[in-house]
Amino acid sequence: MSSDLILNMRNISKSFPGVQALDRVSLEVGRGEVHGLLGENGAGKSTLMKILSGAYRPDSGSIEYNGQLIHIASPHQAQQHGIVTIYQEFNLVPSLTIAENVFMGREPGPWRFIDWTAMKRQTRELTERIGIDIDPMTIVRNLTVAEQQMVEIAKALSMDSRLIIMDEPTSALSSQEVEQLFQIIRDLKAQGLSIIFITHRLEEVLEICDRITVLRDGQNVGSRSVEDVTVNDIISMMVGRSADELFHREETRYEQNEVVLRVTGLSRTGTAQDPNATVLEDISFEVYRGEILGIAGLVGAGRTELARVIFGADAFSSGTIEIDNKPVRIKSPRDAIRHGIGLVPEDRKQQALFLALAVRENLSIAVLGRMLNWHLFVRQNEELDLVDEYRRALDIRMSSPEQKVINLSGGNQQKVVIARWLAMQPKVLMVDEPTRGIDVAAKAEVHGLLDELARNGIGVVMISSELPEILAMSDRIITMREGRLTGVVAREEATEELLMELMTLRVDTMTGP
Amino acid sequence: MTDIQNPSGEKRKHDEPFAERETNYIDLLGRFAPVIFLLVLIVIFYALNPRFLSQRNIFNVLRQVSITGLLAIGMTFVILTAGIDLSVGSLLAFSGIVAAGVAKGTRTNTLSLGTTEESGYGVLAAILAAITIGMLGGLVQGAATTKFKIPPFVVTLGGLSAFRGATLLFSNGGPISGFNDAFTEWGQGEIGPVPIPVIIFLGFAVVAHIVLRYTQYGRHVYAVGGNPEAARLSGLNVGLITTSVYVIQGFFAGLGGFVLAARLNSAEAVAGTGFELTVIASVVIGGTSLFGGEGSVLGTVIGSLLIGVLINGLVLNNVNPYVQQVSIGIVIVIAVAFDTFVKSRRSI
């Protein structure tokens, strides 16, 4: 096997400010092999693949490709070597034809004129090679997600690719389409191509991959041949991330009988790409006063979508939402706020902060209405008192209330967002990845803060991709996969293995939650 | 820039007024660039021709910029929400001609210049009509951008044509002129040495400044422009706020249309042609970001003055009038390029 490697990455390390993303990771991929790359969110899969595709440069380590040591300085160089990545978000121009997309920048023809006849013929040859029959002149916008993916594969083949990296290729496909994709992968494999297959769906790994490599906390946990492993083996390789420096919550006493938020049969259909896609399906759960409810799930499981729908940021197709046992109509974030629901969104810079405005303005924006003179003028001293109150309560570090939020650290930015919500005095506060991108000390502070909120009787819903965080913070945990609720686990029963199983296994293969 | 450790929070009651002064000099330069540029121009033109700073000429400049300045105040609201309004000149003309028609009680030019038309409805009705027309025009355009998600550039490009056409229809293409003194006083009169249009312009600039800086509404305008998604998720009524800035712009277009008609003693169907460029230039030169969320009315006043001073100075020094257009164009591009440069340096 080792004599016939297409790729041999050795001791790759990469660090970002404050994070060791990869620590001496090695990866070997054989010729004609489908290699599964697995790991939790943030385990280092993306970083490793970005190094391979030339988007990042490693701090140290070597890459041997086709038996030769190579340096990949740019995505363009990676492509010249025949290493092509197909991202989840396709790199296609929707308004152009399939042929134009496949040969983008490499159009056949003399003197930069396009020889359309040749381009159409060559495109057809490529699509036939992967076994699909489609007019090369079709506009990409009119294709299904699965067809667009095939265009990406055709494009990779047109670059004479020997190694294709597929990042979560099945996440947006129906089961039929997945089967079709697997057939293509098998064909490519038979033609001698190698494929690195990144996925969260473990049963697919067993079906399509020859070997797997598991990453955890930026380290290589091991590589195995698929024949030698079971799903449970893979799960135990993936879990067990280091949990030191985490906040440890004491035993909590939330009121079992006081339901503050109840969601019943919530469903949402349709995304920007696919109006028929199921985003959320029949989700029901409760949040009790004073508890922290963790929502665990892998990327794309629908956790963020669930929070956004409850908050009125997106519409839902069916289902009911009750606050304090009374049904409420939520059609916009304004409605949700009026009923006491808050959301600290996933991406604070894009969705929460006004970066060009001061801390003071960011903090008070939603509650200005209660500090007005003559319903018009903001009482400035009251506003400054508010800032002062939360600066102390949350220990927000700023040079002055007039400091622009863009100049704060990530942890302090997050505190400003949380403070904005606390000022609104919500009954339920949903926090989506509350500690993403903030340093360890600030993480512990945010955790302490969430604990305090729960103690003060707020129902806290915490979405997190970090299982140790979920386990350390939650009173109860619900797990999601593919838009469905797959389990409700009490704090005492929760283990990483159990959660990972609920997060990764197909619902129909499980024996009830 | 990282945040400064502040372990002893108690000592810091409220803010420290000097903390923000640590901002780097590029940021400061960026903020005061329009003022500096304005002062430099004034010094140069004064050196070339001392008459430039005579009281008469100063009020000349102010009077010249007062109409476009009024529109620019409204445009500041629009651009703060990352919008644009190309229809201002046409809406100004439409409001003006309607005001003239109301004042004279006729839609046709009586050619009796300077006579008082007794069949009219009076100057207050004329003002009300102008402002109502302006605000309605703004409301239609604002609602079209927010309800139907048509980009404001397109909606107001349509408005640019439609309101001009409405103006021509209203008066059958001709001017409506010859008003009584109560009407023309608003454009030609003075209080002390100060022309009334200048008082209107600066007065509304102060009001707009107060609204943007000290009211909840003003804060919401900045928030919607800075990050509409964050504004929505903070419970702000983004659609209503966005629509409202076009209504405000319409108010100023209406007022401007009336004042211009009063000043010229005639509402022309072609009034305000090309104003949108001068108005947008005033706002942008004044440092308001076309991407929204950053800027001020104060900057817009400076921007308006800068353009006025530039034109006046060139005229005073007998520069070819066509050169004026060229120089304004260059100033706009330099101002935006400088702004972009400052912002790119700041984000490092």
Side-chain angles (χ1 to χ4, degrees):
Chain A
M1 183 105 207
S2 60
S3 60
D4 201 17
L5 288 180
I6 180 116
L7 176 74
N8 189 354
M9 298 178 88
R10 292 225 157 276
N11 293 319
I12 303 284
S13 292
K14 174 76 183 175
S15 62
F16 297 104
V19 200
Q20 182 78 33
L22 292 175
D23 184 12
R24 285 162 292 154
V25 171
S26 297
L27 175 68
E28 294 180 353
V29 180
R31 225 176 282 280
E33 176 184 278
V34 179
H35 195 105
L37 186 61
L38 306 169
E40 262 189 80
N41 306 325
K45 295 170 304 205
S46 311
T47 310
L48 188 65
M49 288 305 104
K50 280 185 175 159
I51 285 171
L52 186 55
S53 61
Y56 292 159
R57 304 261 212 124
D59 298 339
S60 61
S62 65
I63 302 173
E64 221 175 90
Y65 179 73
N66 247 337
Q68 281 182 320
L69 212 57
I70 60 164
H71 292 278
I72 306 172
S74 69
H76 184 66
Q77 272 190 15
Q79 288 181 1
Q80 283 179 326
H81 283 299
I83 302 171
V84 180
T85 309
I86 299 175
Y87 292 100
Q88 265 178 290
E89 304 290 326
F90 300 138
N91 261 322
L92 299 173
V93 183
S95 54
L96 298 183
T97 62
I98 295 177
E100 286 168 295
N101 270 288
V102 168
F103 286 98
M104 176 84 40
R106 295 168 293 110
E107 295 87 352
W111 301 323
R112 295 179 181 263
F113 283 91
I114 296 173
D115 180 349
W116 279 92
T117 319
M119 195 159 85
K120 278 191 268 188
R121 180 173 39 77
Q122 290 175 27
T123 305
R124 199 174 275 287
E125 282 166 12
L126 289 166
T127 50
E128 275 167 8
R129 200 173 139 196
I130 54 177
I132 56 167
D133 178 30
I134 193 161
D135 181 2
M137 295 305 285
T138 315
I139 301 289
V140 163
R141 186 185 288 117
N142 301 331
L143 300 177
T144 65
V145 174
E147 287 167 337
Q148 292 188 20
Q149 190 171 54
M150 288 171 195
V151 174
E152 283 274 18
I153 295 172
K155 190 170 156 187
L157 294 178
S158 78
M159 294 185 224
D160 215 10
S161 173
R162 307 306 303 158
L163 175 64
I164 300 180
I165 303 160
M166 294 186 181
D167 186 6
E168 299 247 16
T170 59
S171 61
L173 304 186
S174 71
S175 52
Q176 258 180 328
E177 290 166 337
V178 169
E179 214 29 68
Q180 199 179 358
L181 174 69
F182 283 181
Q183 193 50 51
I184 292 171
I185 290 179
R186 289 189 194 101
D187 289 348
L188 295 177
K189 191 175 136 182
Q191 292 168 24
L193 268 77
S194 307
I195 287 157
I196 297 178
F197 188 87
I198 303 175
T199 186
H200 287 308
R201 301 178 174 181
L202 300 186
E203 65 270 29
E204 287 176 4
V205 172
L206 298 183
E207 188 183 339
I208 192 72
C209 295
D210 302 306
R211 292 199 322 135
I212 56 156
T213 294
V214 178
L215 299 185
R216 185 172 73 209
D217 280 340
Q219 292 182 322
N220 190 331
V221 185
S223 299
R224 302 273 189 281
S225 188
V226 164
E227 292 104 65
D228 305 338
V229 293
T230 64
V231 168
N232 285 334
D233 294 338
I234 300 177
I235 287 176
S236 58
M237 285 170 84
M238 285 166 72
V239 300
R241 300 181 59 184
S242 53
D244 39 82
E245 311 240 28
L246 268 179
F247 182 84
H248 286 283
R249 270 184 95 208
E250 290 167 32
E251 203 54 46
T252 51
R253 317 154 289 286
Y254 60 91
E255 301 294 335
Q256 274 283 7
N257 47 4
E258 278 189 73
V259 174
V260 61
L261 169 72
R262 178 179 289 119
V263 170
T264 317
L266 206 64
S267 298
R268 171 177 161 81
T269 313
T271 59
Q273 292 94 22
D274 183 358
N276 296 318
T278 301
V279 180
L280 297 171
E281 194 175 329
D282 193 23
I283 293 189
S284 305
F285 68 94
E286 283 108 39
V287 181
Y288 298 108
R289 218 176 110 79
E291 77 164 335
I292 296 183
L293 177 75
I295 303 186
L298 295 161
V299 171
R303 299 164 301 167
T304 297
E305 291 77 1
L306 176 62
R308 283 179 61 89
V309 160
I310 294 173
F311 186 61
D314 295 326
F316 55 93
S317 337
S318 61
T320 56
I321 297 170
E322 289 169 47
I323 291 285
D324 292 335
N325 294 313
K326 283 190 278 290
V328 291
R329 263 167 57 93
I330 294 176
K331 305 202 84 176
S332 70
R334 287 168 67 79
D335 295 339
I337 289 167
R338 196 164 46 232
H339 292 298
I341 305 175
L343 171 67
V344 174
E346 192 179 11
D347 183 339
R348 58 181 164 268
K349 286 190 181 170
Q350 298 292 328
Q351 299 171 332
L353 291 170
F354 307 101
L355 290 171
L357 297 185
V359 173
R360 169 179 58 83
E361 294 161 313
N362 269 279
L363 212 159
S364 65
I365 187 75
V367 294
L368 287 174
R370 66 171 197 236
M371 42 181 80
L372 296 180
N373 277 335
W374 308 318
H375 301 288
L376 212 59
F377 299 103
V378 179
R379 284 193 288 271
Q380 310 256 318
N381 50 348
E382 225 166 284
E383 198 184 4
L384 287 169
D385 284 341
L386 184 84
V387 177
D388 215 48
E389 182 188 335
Y390 284 102
R391 178 177 62 71
R392 280 183 218 191
L394 275 60
D395 194 23
I396 305 172
R397 280 160 225 147
M398 52 181 143
S399 60
S400 91
E402 303 309 317
Q403 189 175 11
K404 288 190 175 181
V405 158
I406 196 170
N407 293 327
L408 294 182
S409 69
N412 281 306
Q413 288 181 343
Q414 186 70 308
K415 287 181 189 172
V416 170
V417 178
I418 294 176
R420 180 194 297 164
W421 282 105
L422 295 187
M424 287 187 244
Q425 298 166 331
K427 293 174 186 161
V428 180
L429 186 62
M430 301 185 284
V431 289
D432 194 353
E433 303 285 1
T435 59
R436 175 177 289 173
I438 65 182
D439 64 51
V440 175
K443 246 182 198 182
E445 285 181 341
V446 170
H447 288 155
L449 192 62
L450 295 176
D451 177 51
E452 211 178 303
L453 298 185
R455 277 167 202 286
N456 289 333
I458 296 176
V460 177
V461 178
M462 186 184 77
I463 296 171
S464 172
S465 292
E466 294 185 35
L467 283 182
E469 182 175 57
I470 289 271
L471 287 166
M473 295 296 298
S474 312
D475 295 301
R476 294 184 307 133
I477 299 155
I478 62 179
T479 56
M480 290 183 69
R481 177 191 147 131
E482 291 173 32
R484 269 169 276 189
L485 203 136
T486 57
V488 183
V489 185
R491 179 188 176 87
E492 308 80 52
E493 295 157 17
T495 61
E496 288 199 37
E497 283 79 6
L498 175 64
L499 294 181
M500 187 56 84
E501 205 178 304
L502 291 166
M503 283 155 60
T504 51
L505 289 188
R506 196 166 265 172
V507 186
D508 47 29
T509 63
M510 288 189 339
T511 53
Chain B
M1 204 164 87
T2 53
D3 33 332
I4 292 157
Q5 197 87 25
N6 174 25
S8 55
E10 289 71 28
K11 273 188 267 174
R12 298 187 166 205
K13 183 62 185 166
H14 295 336
D15 60 326
E16 289 178 309
F18 297 102
E20 193 56 15
R21 302 268 164 89
E22 296 163 347
T23 342
N24 64 51
Y25 68 99
I26 288 182
D27 206 6
L28 278 180
L29 192 63
R31 197 173 305 166
F32 291 108
V35 185
I36 295 166
F37 199 18
L38 178 63
L39 291 176
V40 168
L41 275 185
I42 289 173
V43 169
I44 291 174
F45 286 135
Y46 180 65
L48 289 172
N49 187 343
R51 241 182 343 129
F52 177 75
L53 278 188
S54 67
Q55 184 190 321
R56 197 169 143 209
N57 193 51
I58 289 174
F59 283 124
N60 237 340
V61 172
L62 284 170
R63 199 196 332 253
Q64 265 160 15
V65 303
S66 59
I67 306 288
T68 50
L70 272 176
L71 298 181
I73 295 170
M75 190 68 81
T76 308
F77 283 80
V78 173
I79 293 182
L80 275 176
T81 66
I84 195 87
D85 188 348
L86 301 177
S87 74
V88 283
S90 301
L91 193 51
L92 168 136
F94 188 40
S95 311
I97 209 113
V98 171
V102 169
K104 299 202 63 154
T106 171
R107 291 197 293 157
T108 48
N109 202 3
T110 53
L111 294 176
S112 52
L113 222 79
T115 60
T116 308
E117 187 57 59
E118 297 300 337
S119 64
Y121 298 95
V123 67
L124 278 178
I127 294 177
L128 272 177
I131 289 173
T132 309
I133 290 286
M135 290 174 83
L136 279 177
L139 179 66
V140 169
Q141 297 188 100
T145 58
T146 51
K147 290 283 173 214
F148 304 112
K149 313 271 176 229
I150 312 169
F153 185 93
V154 177
V155 170
T156 59
L157 189 63
L160 171 76
S161 178
F163 293 129
R164 180 68 61 194
T167 313
L168 295 165
L169 276 175
F170 186 87
S171 70
N172 202 18
I176 299 177
S177 39
F179 308 110
N180 60 23
D181 288 349
F183 191 106
T184 55
E185 181 74 8
W186 287 89
Q188 298 171 355
E190 287 167 351
I191 293 180
V194 192
I196 287 178
V198 174
I199 294 173
I200 295 174
F201 165 46
L202 295 179
F204 274 105
V206 170
V207 171
H209 178 77
I210 290 171
V211 167
L212 281 176
R213 283 284 161 221
Y214 299 107
T215 69
Q216 178 183 27
Y217 172 75
R219 202 71 69 72
H220 286 180
V221 169
Y222 279 94
V224 166
N227 190 341
E229 178 66 1
R232 189 171 81 98
L233 295 183
S234 302
L236 272 56
N237 193 337
V238 176
L240 186 68
I241 293 161
T242 309
T243 306
S244 73
V245 297
Y246 292 91
V247 177
I248 290 174
Q249 172 71 87
F251 170 84
F252 284 108
L255 187 63
F258 166 73
V259 175
L260 185 62
R263 198 177 118 200
L264 302 177
N265 193 17
S266 171
E268 311 277 338
V270 292
T273 307
F275 270 20
E276 60 279 353
L277 294 181
T278 313
V279 169
I280 294 167
S282 304
V283 176
V284 171
I285 290 172
T288 297
S289 165
L290 280 169
F291 301 107
E294 280 181 273
S296 67
V297 170
L298 200 65
T300 297
V301 172
I302 304 284
S304 300
L305 289 177
L306 213 153
I307 291 180
V309 162
L310 192 62
I311 293 176
N312 178 273
L314 294 174
V315 170
L316 226 54
N317 289 287
N318 297 320
V319 176
N320 182 334
Y322 302 135
V323 174
Q324 296 166 20
Q325 295 239 8
V326 176
S327 56
I328 291 175
I330 292 170
V331 168
I332 295 171
V333 175
I334 290 177
V336 177
F338 189 78
D339 197 47
T340 313
F341 168 74
V342 167
K343 283 194 182 115
S344 68
R345 290 295 292 265
R346 197 169 53 192
S347 60
I348 288 172

mmCIF file of all heavy atoms in Angstrom, chain B residues 102 121-130 182-183 186 258:
data_model
loop_
_atom_site.group_PDB
_atom_site.id
_atom_site.type_symbol
_atom_site.label_atom_id
_atom_site.label_comp_id
_atom_site.label_asym_id
_atom_site.label_seq_id
_atom_site.Cartn_x
_atom_site.Cartn_y
_atom_site.Cartn_z
ATOM 1 N N VAL B 102 -50.601 76.041 -6.696
ATOM 2 C CA VAL B 102 -51.479 76.299 -5.552
ATOM 3 C C VAL B 102 -51.460 77.783 -5.211
ATOM 4 O O VAL B 102 -52.506 78.402 -4.946
ATOM 5 C CB VAL B 102 -51.056 75.447 -4.338
ATOM 6 C CG1 VAL B 102 -51.779 75.905 -3.076
ATOM 7 C CG2 VAL B 102 -51.337 73.974 -4.611
ATOM 8 N N TYR B 121 -54.295 80.244 -3.405
ATOM 9 C CA TYR B 121 -54.686 79.755 -2.083
ATOM 10 C C TYR B 121 -53.749 80.220 -0.981
ATOM 11 O O TYR B 121 -53.811 79.749 0.137
ATOM 12 C CB TYR B 121 -54.756 78.230 -2.086
ATOM 13 C CG TYR B 121 -55.793 77.713 -3.053
ATOM 14 C CD1 TYR B 121 -55.445 77.344 -4.339
ATOM 15 C CD2 TYR B 121 -57.138 77.620 -2.667
ATOM 16 C CE1 TYR B 121 -56.390 76.886 -5.232
ATOM 17 C CE2 TYR B 121 -58.083 77.158 -3.559
ATOM 18 C CZ TYR B 121 -57.706 76.788 -4.842
ATOM 19 O OH TYR B 121 -58.648 76.340 -5.710
ATOM 20 N N GLY B 122 -52.808 81.086 -1.325
ATOM 21 C CA GLY B 122 -51.945 81.613 -0.292
ATOM 22 C C GLY B 122 -50.659 80.832 -0.132
ATOM 23 O O GLY B 122 -50.546 79.686 -0.570
ATOM 24 N N VAL B 123 -49.706 81.489 0.497
ATOM 25 C CA VAL B 123 -48.354 80.928 0.553
ATOM 26 C C VAL B 123 -48.278 79.720 1.489
ATOM 27 O O VAL B 123 -47.553 78.756 1.215
ATOM 28 C CB VAL B 123 -47.345 82.034 0.944
ATOM 29 C CG1 VAL B 123 -47.567 82.496 2.380
ATOM 30 C CG2 VAL B 123 -45.925 81.546 0.755
ATOM 31 N N LEU B 124 -49.041 79.729 2.569
ATOM 32 C CA LEU B 124 -48.965 78.586 3.490
ATOM 33 C C LEU B 124 -49.469 77.315 2.824
ATOM 34 O O LEU B 124 -48.866 76.238 2.964
ATOM 35 C CB LEU B 124 -49.778 78.880 4.754
ATOM 36 C CG LEU B 124 -49.030 79.726 5.784
ATOM 37 C CD1 LEU B 124 -49.903 80.019 6.988
ATOM 38 C CD2 LEU B 124 -47.732 79.034 6.212
ATOM 39 N N ALA B 125 -50.581 77.461 2.083
ATOM 40 C CA ALA B 125 -51.082 76.308 1.339
ATOM 41 C C ALA B 125 -50.037 75.819 0.347
ATOM 42 O O ALA B 125 -49.872 74.613 0.138
ATOM 43 C CB ALA B 125 -52.378 76.675 0.620
ATOM 44 N N ALA B 126 -49.323 76.764 -0.256
ATOM 45 C CA ALA B 126 -48.291 76.392 -1.225
ATOM 46 C C ALA B 126 -47.181 75.591 -0.558
ATOM 47 O O ALA B 126 -46.729 74.559 -1.072
ATOM 48 C CB ALA B 126 -47.716 77.649 -1.882
ATOM 49 N N ILE B 127 -46.749 76.082 0.613
ATOM 50 C CA ILE B 127 -45.685 75.357 1.337
ATOM 51 C C ILE B 127 -46.164 73.945 1.688
ATOM 52 O O ILE B 127 -45.462 72.954 1.462
ATOM 53 C CB ILE B 127 -45.294 76.109 2.626
ATOM 54 C CG1 ILE B 127 -44.657 77.451 2.270
ATOM 55 C CG2 ILE B 127 -44.339 75.271 3.465
ATOM 56 C CD1 ILE B 127 -44.295 78.290 3.472
ATOM 57 N N LEU B 128 -47.376 73.886 2.238
ATOM 58 C CA LEU B 128 -47.923 72.582 2.624
ATOM 59 C C LEU B 128 -48.006 71.636 1.429
ATOM 60 O O LEU B 128 -47.663 70.453 1.522
ATOM 61 C CB LEU B 128 -49.313 72.754 3.238
ATOM 62 C CG LEU B 128 -49.331 73.013 4.738
ATOM 63 C CD1 LEU B 128 -50.762 73.243 5.211
ATOM 64 C CD2 LEU B 128 -48.700 71.832 5.473
ATOM 65 N N ALA B 129 -48.467 72.193 0.307
ATOM 66 C CA ALA B 129 -48.597 71.373 -0.894
ATOM 67 C C ALA B 129 -47.240 70.826 -1.315
ATOM 68 O O ALA B 129 -47.094 69.636 -1.622
ATOM 69 C CB ALA B 129 -49.224 72.187 -2.018
ATOM 70 N N ALA B 130 -46.238 71.706 -1.332
ATOM 71 C CA ALA B 130 -44.897 71.283 -1.761
ATOM 72 C C ALA B 130 -44.381 70.162 -0.869
ATOM 73 O O ALA B 130 -43.888 69.128 -1.347
ATOM 74 C CB ALA B 130 -43.944 72.474 -1.729
ATOM 75 N N ALA B 182 -45.328 87.842 -0.308
ATOM 76 C CA ALA B 182 -45.336 86.861 0.784
ATOM 77 C C ALA B 182 -44.688 85.559 0.340
ATOM 78 O O ALA B 182 -44.081 84.839 1.134
ATOM 79 C CB ALA B 182 -46.772 86.603 1.234
ATOM 80 N N PHE B 183 -44.839 85.263 -0.956
ATOM 81 C CA PHE B 183 -44.254 84.036 -1.524
ATOM 82 C C PHE B 183 -42.753 84.221 -1.769
ATOM 83 O O PHE B 183 -41.923 83.453 -1.250
ATOM 84 C CB PHE B 183 -44.989 83.713 -2.825
ATOM 85 C CG PHE B 183 -44.689 82.349 -3.384
ATOM 86 C CD1 PHE B 183 -45.611 81.309 -3.298
ATOM 87 C CD2 PHE B 183 -43.480 82.094 -4.032
ATOM 88 C CE1 PHE B 183 -45.342 80.057 -3.819
ATOM 89 C CE2 PHE B 183 -43.208 80.850 -4.562
ATOM 90 C CZ PHE B 183 -44.145 79.829 -4.458
ATOM 91 N N TRP B 186 -39.723 84.208 0.889
ATOM 92 C CA TRP B 186 -39.090 82.985 1.370
ATOM 93 C C TRP B 186 -37.800 82.666 0.614
ATOM 94 O O TRP B 186 -36.938 81.965 1.140
ATOM 95 C CB TRP B 186 -40.049 81.808 1.245
ATOM 96 C CG TRP B 186 -41.155 81.849 2.251
ATOM 97 C CD1 TRP B 186 -42.364 82.462 2.120
ATOM 98 C CD2 TRP B 186 -41.127 81.303 3.559
ATOM 99 N NE1 TRP B 186 -43.092 82.326 3.255
ATOM 100 C CE2 TRP B 186 -42.372 81.607 4.171
ATOM 101 C CE3 TRP B 186 -40.176 80.574 4.279
ATOM 102 C CZ2 TRP B 186 -42.681 81.222 5.463
ATOM 103 C CZ3 TRP B 186 -40.500 80.168 5.564
ATOM 104 C CH2 TRP B 186 -41.733 80.489 6.157
ATOM 105 N N PHE B 258 -40.050 74.575 -3.072
ATOM 106 C CA PHE B 258 -40.754 75.816 -2.761
ATOM 107 C C PHE B 258 -39.774 76.994 -2.660
ATOM 108 O O PHE B 258 -39.984 78.064 -3.252
ATOM 109 C CB PHE B 258 -41.520 75.653 -1.441
ATOM 110 C CG PHE B 258 -41.999 76.942 -0.870
ATOM 111 C CD1 PHE B 258 -43.070 77.621 -1.454
ATOM 112 C CD2 PHE B 258 -41.369 77.520 0.229
ATOM 113 C CE1 PHE B 258 -43.496 78.831 -0.938
ATOM 114 C CE2 PHE B 258 -41.798 78.725 0.740
ATOM 115 C CZ PHE B 258 -42.861 79.385 0.149
#
